[in-house]
Amino acid sequence: MTPTELSDAVRTCLLEAVREREPAVGSLTAEQVPAQVRVERPRSREHGDWATNVALQLAKKGGVAPRDLAGALAARLGDVDGVASVDVAGPGFLNVVLSASAAGELARTVVEAGATYGTSTRRAGNCINLEFISANPTGPVHLGGARWGAVGDALARVLAATGADVVREYYFNDHGAQIDRFARSLLARAHGRPAPEDGYGGDYVGEIAAQVLAAASARGEDLLALPEPEAQEVFRHEGVALMFEEVKRDLHDFGVDFDVWFHEDSLHASGAVDAAVAHLKASGSLYEADGAWWLRTTDHGDDKDRVVIKSDGQPAYVAGDLAYLRDKRSRGADLCIYMLGADHHGYISRLKAAAAAFGDDPAVVEVLIGQMVNLVRDGEPVRMSKRNGTVVTLQDLVEAVGVDAARYSLSRSSVDSTIDVDLDVLTRRTNENPVFYVQYAHARCSGVARNAGAAGVRREDGFDPALLTHPTEQAVLAALGEYPRVLEQAAELREPHRVARHLEVLAGAFHKWYDECRVAPLGEEEVTDVHRTRLWLAEAVRTVLAAGLGLVGVSAPERM
């Protein structure tokens, strides 16, 4: 019996008690019974296999005592096939013990479901625009952007696994002062001069400048002979394009690809910014003061209203944000999730105000704020970037530890916490390295299957779930049963790190089981249903580990 099946059984018992007007339910109605009853693993196995507090949640609505409602549910639930016993604990908790066969049946359920186990259609029909990284095109992807790449891609996979139609989007900031500074930096490097005071340093600037010069030379042009304003425009156009291609290439090599690469400059060139501003003026969402046009962002928690059109008539940066949100919504996005850096807290109220100004519920906008990443070795900060000169890049990290270790280490922690990525730990092939620990569990599962096959153990020859009674087997089954709930929580809370952390729990349970229980018989020992059933359990673990690693964008090796 899966947790979902138990949840459905509890709900059915509730509805039956309501329909039969059992006194213990009081005035509770069918409409007040939740569509899903939450069941969880109790902290102590002495309290049973699963627990629910649904009686505590509903008793007040029915005007009854929680323990009375829990008692009525326990009596009905005890008659459900696969339920061994139900106890009422404390103020009204229900602790459920499954029969051995019902608990063990989960292994076959997982194997037969394959990669779809734990997935759902809960968000079917919901189009989510997920924008992440969106770094300026003035340098390689840095370590913070790498974190957003790992987390954003994992979140996209998690949301898709729960039925959502996810559009991965990268907003390319190719309009504004930073592009001017980048072009001036390229031009200066091409002439052999130091970067402007407000420009960009690092070896990559010289590399991009050299590529622009080489391309011009191949066309028969000498950029350095041109007037500097003309040459700077060429460096702007071609240098940004080259930087953009490098960013795309690095992210692709990191396993992160986007459905939409959106250019900020297109909003201005197409007239989308002017159209958005005109619409907001006509609707009265903007007001004029001191010669400028303002958006009332203070209505949504901002510390001050924001200028949209400056007193000189030029659009402020927020004007592009307004047009961009409008464009996303026009493309069918039901929800727009922005993943922004630690210095972007002000954007939360700003973007919600933008949504409201266009007549939307501010809830169509969500902003996730990520914190910094520190690279350490021997407990000391690492400054290893040669190309960029000032910060560590995605490419630096991948070269040091590989894609799998980089992605896993960046996505296994909540984004609202600063993390230290320890290079020493991530290069070790020990249990101290979390990605090795999980991948090794998957490789061990594959090894179990190979060894069992060589010994003549075949899953198709037998399965008896009642035989999975060893304490380590119960722990593995518990972790398998929790996976669907963890996946749903990861989607609902926008926290893909929950999947990675649960894989570590499952891997830990599996490693202990591996040390205690044999799948392949020893010597002349006869193959029995115990061996066959344990092979089902090993395959169930392998299935969930592979699926979970896939959700965080990490490979599931069969040998290590």
Side-chain angles (χ1 to χ4, degrees):
M1 176 179 285
T2 67
T4 299
E5 291 170 340
L6 178 59
S7 172
D8 291 342
V10 175
R11 185 172 188 273
T12 298
C13 290
L14 267 169
L15 291 172
E16 288 175 349
V18 169
R19 185 171 60 250
E20 296 172 15
R21 301 316 312 163
E22 188 167 339
V25 303
S27 59
L28 193 66
T29 65
E31 290 72 24
Q32 292 173 316
V33 175
Q36 284 189 317
V37 174
R38 184 170 180 176
V39 295
E40 297 181 301
R41 297 294 295 188
R43 292 184 179 179
S44 172
R45 285 304 307 277
E46 296 177 357
H47 296 157
D49 295 313
W50 298 97
T52 178
N53 64 351
V54 68
L56 290 165
Q57 293 176 341
L58 298 180
K60 186 174 182 180
K61 295 178 181 178
V64 294
R67 282 189 64 88
D68 291 344
L69 178 55
L73 283 176
R76 290 176 178 270
L77 197 57
D79 294 332
V80 172
D81 289 341
V83 174
S85 65
V86 186
D87 292 325
V88 178
F93 292 98
L94 282 174
N95 292 332
V96 182
V97 176
L98 301 180
S99 65
S101 60
E105 187 65 34
L106 179 62
R108 178 158 58 187
T109 298
V110 173
V111 173
E112 291 180 346
T116 64
Y117 175 69
T119 64
S120 72
T121 57
R122 192 159 299 160
R123 291 171 180 79
N126 190 9
C127 179
I128 299 177
N129 182 288
L130 179 60
E131 182 204 329
F132 56 105
I133 305 180
S134 295
N136 290 338
T138 54
V141 178
H142 57 69
L143 198 54
R147 185 182 193 182
W148 272 141
V151 175
D153 188 60
L155 179 57
R157 295 171 189 234
V158 165
L159 290 169
T162 60
D165 177 14
V166 182
V167 176
R168 294 169 172 84
E169 186 148 324
Y170 189 115
Y171 186 58
F172 206 60
N173 303 96
D174 55 353
H175 181 88
Q178 78 277 4
I179 301 299
D180 293 333
R181 293 197 298 271
F182 184 56
R184 290 198 302 273
S185 301
L186 293 173
L187 180 62
R189 187 61 63 90
H191 280 285
R193 302 193 298 257
E197 186 175 342
D198 61 348
Y200 296 91
D203 291 348
Y204 77 93
V205 177
E207 295 169 8
I208 296 291
Q211 291 179 62
V212 175
L213 287 173
S217 178
R219 298 191 301 265
E221 299 176 8
D222 181 4
L223 288 187
L224 300 185
L226 293 176
E228 290 207 355
E230 293 181 28
Q232 182 174 313
E233 191 58 34
V234 175
F235 277 107
R236 175 205 300 275
H237 178 72
E238 297 186 14
V240 168
L242 287 168
M243 193 74 257
F244 192 23
E245 289 306 311
E246 181 175 323
V247 167
K248 283 185 176 181
R249 184 170 58 253
D250 287 349
L251 290 174
H252 175 76
D253 292 344
F254 195 50
V256 178
D257 293 296
F258 289 85
D259 303 299
V260 176
W261 298 88
F262 196 99
H263 290 259
E264 178 191 4
D265 195 55
S266 69
L267 293 170
H268 296 269
S270 68
V273 171
D274 292 337
V277 170
H279 175 85
L280 294 176
K281 285 182 178 179
S283 67
S285 297
L286 299 182
Y287 68 92
E288 189 175 11
D290 301 324
W293 289 87
W294 302 70
L295 180 67
R296 292 185 178 86
T297 54
T298 50
D299 291 348
H300 299 272
D302 206 353
D303 58 344
K304 62 181 179 180
D305 288 345
R306 300 290 169 174
V307 173
V308 176
I309 300 297
K310 296 181 286 187
S311 57
D312 62 2
Q314 294 300 308
Y317 191 81
V318 71
D321 293 332
L322 291 167
Y324 185 37
L325 175 60
R326 192 184 191 207
D327 184 87
K328 286 182 177 182
R329 293 285 284 155
S330 72
R331 286 184 272 132
D334 301 307
L335 174 65
C336 300
I337 300 178
Y338 295 76
M339 302 179 72
L340 304 177
D343 56 344
H344 286 72
H345 277 279
Y347 274 76
I348 299 175
S349 53
R350 204 173 308 175
L351 290 169
K352 286 187 175 293
F358 287 118
D360 281 329
D361 184 336
V364 303
V365 167
E366 288 184 17
V367 179
L368 306 181
I369 300 294
Q371 297 302 318
M372 300 298 292
V373 182
N374 301 312
L375 207 61
V376 300
R377 178 181 283 140
D378 297 327
E380 297 296 325
V382 175
R383 294 289 181 266
M384 57 190 288
S385 182
K386 295 179 181 178
R387 289 190 70 234
N388 198 49
T390 54
V391 297
V392 180
T393 67
L394 164 62
Q395 196 175 63
D396 294 326
L397 179 62
V398 169
E399 287 176 356
V401 301
V403 171
D404 281 350
R407 286 195 61 141
Y408 193 91
S409 63
L410 292 172
S411 60
R412 71 182 290 266
S413 299
S414 173
V415 295
D416 59 10
S417 62
T418 300
I419 58 172
D420 291 335
V421 174
D422 193 319
L423 293 178
D424 292 325
V425 170
L426 292 181
T427 52
R428 292 176 192 155
R429 294 175 62 84
T430 67
N431 290 344
E432 187 182 358
N433 179 353
V435 67
F436 175 85
Y437 189 64
V438 176
Q439 287 182 317
Y440 186 48
H442 182 272
R444 265 186 162 179
C445 288
S446 300
V448 165
R450 290 192 296 270
N451 294 336
V457 181
R458 303 193 312 166
R459 281 193 287 113
E460 56 268 31
D461 289 343
F463 176 72
D464 185 354
L467 297 175
L468 297 175
T469 57
H470 193 278
T472 60
E473 291 170 334
Q474 295 172 5
V476 169
L477 289 166
L480 291 172
E482 280 282 84
Y483 179 70
R485 183 180 68 83
V486 170
L487 179 51
E488 171 54 29
Q489 281 190 330
E492 182 65 23
L493 300 176
R494 322 301 190 220
E495 295 180 343
H497 73 275
R498 291 173 177 268
V499 173
R501 294 293 179 150
H502 187 68
L503 294 182
E504 293 168 31
V505 172
L506 176 58
F510 170 78
H511 287 310
K512 290 178 182 177
W513 173 76
Y514 181 90
D515 291 338
E516 295 284 338
C517 299
R518 289 197 59 82
V519 175
L522 285 172
E524 299 300 318
E525 182 183 358
E526 181 182 355
V527 175
T528 68
D529 277 350
V530 171
H531 301 107
R532 300 183 187 100
T533 304
R534 285 175 174 170
L535 185 55
W536 279 88
L537 184 62
E539 177 59 17
V541 173
R542 191 205 65 77
T543 298
V544 172
L545 288 175
L549 285 168
L551 289 176
V552 293
V554 174
S555 68
E558 294 188 0
R559 299 176 187 269
M560 291 184 73

